Amino acid sequence: MTYAGPAATHAVSAGGPAGPGAYALGVDSGGSGLRVALGRVGAPGPLATTVCAEPVRTGPGGIDAGHLLDQLLPAARELLERASAAASAEARSDAPRAGGTSAYEVAAVAIGAAGMATLGERLRAELPGALADALGVRRVALAADAVTAYAGAVGQRPGAVVAGGTGMIALGTDLKEWHRADGWGHLLGDSGGGAWIGRAGLDAAMRAHDGRRGGSAALLDRLRAVFGLAETLPGLLYPRSDRPAVLASFAPEVAACAGADPVAAGILRQAAGHVAEAAAAVCPAPAEPDGEGGGGSEVALTGGLFRMGEPLIAPLREELARLLPGARVTIATDDPLTGALRIARALAIGDLRLPRHPTMLFVPREQETGQRGKTTVHGGQAPG
């Protein structure tokens, strides 16, 4: 469904492309807080970044737009002041640059937020107008955090990204539409993610405690070292509201045991299989060879899950080679904040090639210069 809410009526007309000296803002909102990066439209990398340690609140109406603005606007002004001070020795001109933008205006903002697809209606309705009023910003993009992870890891090329941490989600595009697999939470999916690995490891430990088949004495030893007596684990785990994070905290223990323990190694092989299946479900068909690295699709891995290193990545490469022959598997070096800044820069110059979508990558209609994309989700469900 195409979103056509209040945000469209508040949007500022984009006009021509921003000049290279104009500013772009990238924002990453997640469970650990709000991060903001300021950069020039025509220069790589951020000029400065800042972190707001308090996570943006989520209530009955979804992500709290007012709370996000209360943190974002002071942070943006601080970054602009720092950039202005750093540029004080440079020759400065107030004359308009190409496209009608002055050298130091904020030409575009891109905000990536966890929960944007399902809980971002207030952000889409309120932020474009509020940012236009407060910062004079000409263009705004509001993206799911999986989209900014994609932009950080792959850029604006066709391919796929697997974002793995406590959970696991795969996102891919051929630059015409988005495809998503998993990311459904630890009860319904996130197969192969940190919570999945940790739970499988704890299950093997409890099997060893009970004397059941499939148990691992090595993992039982690690359970006792981390949590105490095995019998007390249910009481420690079940009352917790952060159970996925507690489960995921055991995943590195599984990786540490994998070299010598066949049960732990088997858990990571299973996890690799789940991750590879999700990547294969969303990865676009390879392009024709173009003489610049061939036609194989790119699959980028990003997130803390892959810091477990070779015990997980080695079987994952094997599974990806089997399911996606010829795919280029990379470990992403740039994160969702970098991706948000890339989206803002592309939007500022009218070169945003990633597919628009009413919840995954929302750009108010007045600002659009390209064709909207659509999302397909394996299983027939709308993005969640």
Side-chain angles (χ1 to χ4, degrees):
M1 164 173 112
T2 299
Y3 179 84
T9 65
H10 290 299
V12 177
S13 177
Y23 289 121
L25 273 172
V27 182
D28 177 46
S29 176
S32 60
L34 190 80
R35 299 187 299 153
V36 187
L38 178 73
R40 295 279 193 196
V41 167
L47 293 171
T49 63
T50 191
V51 177
C52 307
E54 183 181 359
V56 175
R57 291 191 295 262
T58 299
I63 301 171
D64 189 330
H67 191 222
L68 188 149
L69 285 167
D70 286 344
Q71 297 189 70
L72 171 57
L73 293 179
R77 292 183 180 115
E78 175 201 340
L79 291 176
L80 287 165
E81 289 172 3
R82 284 161 57 184
S84 178
S88 61
E90 298 176 8
R92 304 173 71 172
S93 171
D94 293 329
R97 299 270 178 118
T101 64
S102 65
Y104 300 106
E105 84 171 86
V106 179
V109 177
I111 299 173
M116 178 73 78
T118 52
L119 301 170
E121 185 172 354
R122 283 183 61 186
L123 301 188
R124 292 184 286 272
E126 298 177 28
L127 288 191
L131 291 169
D133 292 342
L135 299 176
V137 67
R138 300 166 62 84
R139 301 167 180 85
V140 176
L142 303 175
D145 57 344
V147 171
T148 52
Y150 184 98
V154 180
Q156 295 204 89
R157 303 184 302 275
V161 65
V162 178
T166 297
M168 194 283 297
I169 184 171
L171 191 69
T173 184
D174 55 4
L175 301 187
K176 297 177 182 177
E177 59 185 14
W178 291 106
H179 300 270
R180 166 185 170 167
D182 214 334
W184 305 122
H186 75 292
L187 293 179
L188 299 176
D190 284 353
S191 300
W196 187 96
I197 292 171
R199 187 207 173 278
L202 290 170
D203 176 80
M206 297 304 287
R207 286 175 176 274
H209 174 267
D210 295 346
R212 291 179 287 148
R213 186 175 61 181
S216 164
L219 290 173
L220 178 58
D221 287 343
R222 296 315 305 152
L223 182 158
R224 289 168 174 156
V226 174
F227 295 108
L229 295 175
E231 300 92 323
T232 67
L233 182 60
L236 295 173
L237 181 63
Y238 292 140
R240 297 283 291 265
S241 60
D242 60 345
R243 280 189 301 276
V246 177
L247 292 170
S249 71
F250 197 68
E253 305 294 338
V254 179
C257 291
D261 180 50
V263 174
I267 290 170
L268 294 186
R269 280 194 301 272
Q270 269 191 286
H274 287 308
V275 173
E277 287 171 358
V282 303
C283 192
E288 293 298 323
D290 56 11
E292 297 181 4
S297 298
E298 180 177 359
V299 178
L301 310 177
T302 185
L305 179 69
F306 303 108
R307 287 198 288 269
M308 283 194 282
E310 286 303 299
L312 175 63
I313 291 176
L316 177 54
R317 288 186 185 276
E318 292 176 7
E319 287 296 307
L320 287 170
R322 182 176 65 85
L323 295 175
L324 293 169
R328 302 187 307 278
V329 181
T330 61
I331 305 296
T333 56
D334 291 325
D335 65 1
L337 182 60
T338 300
L341 190 55
R342 284 180 177 164
I343 290 172
R345 284 190 171 115
L347 191 62
I349 62 173
D351 188 38
L352 182 57
R353 285 167 276 156
L354 296 175
R356 277 71 158 174
H357 183 270
T359 60
M360 297 289 283
L361 180 55
F362 173 72
V363 179
R365 286 178 297 180
E366 284 84 348
Q367 301 176 17
E368 294 206 65
T369 58
Q371 296 295 315
R372 285 184 185 270
K374 62 182 180 179
T375 295
T376 61
V377 178
H378 297 272
Q381 300 297 318

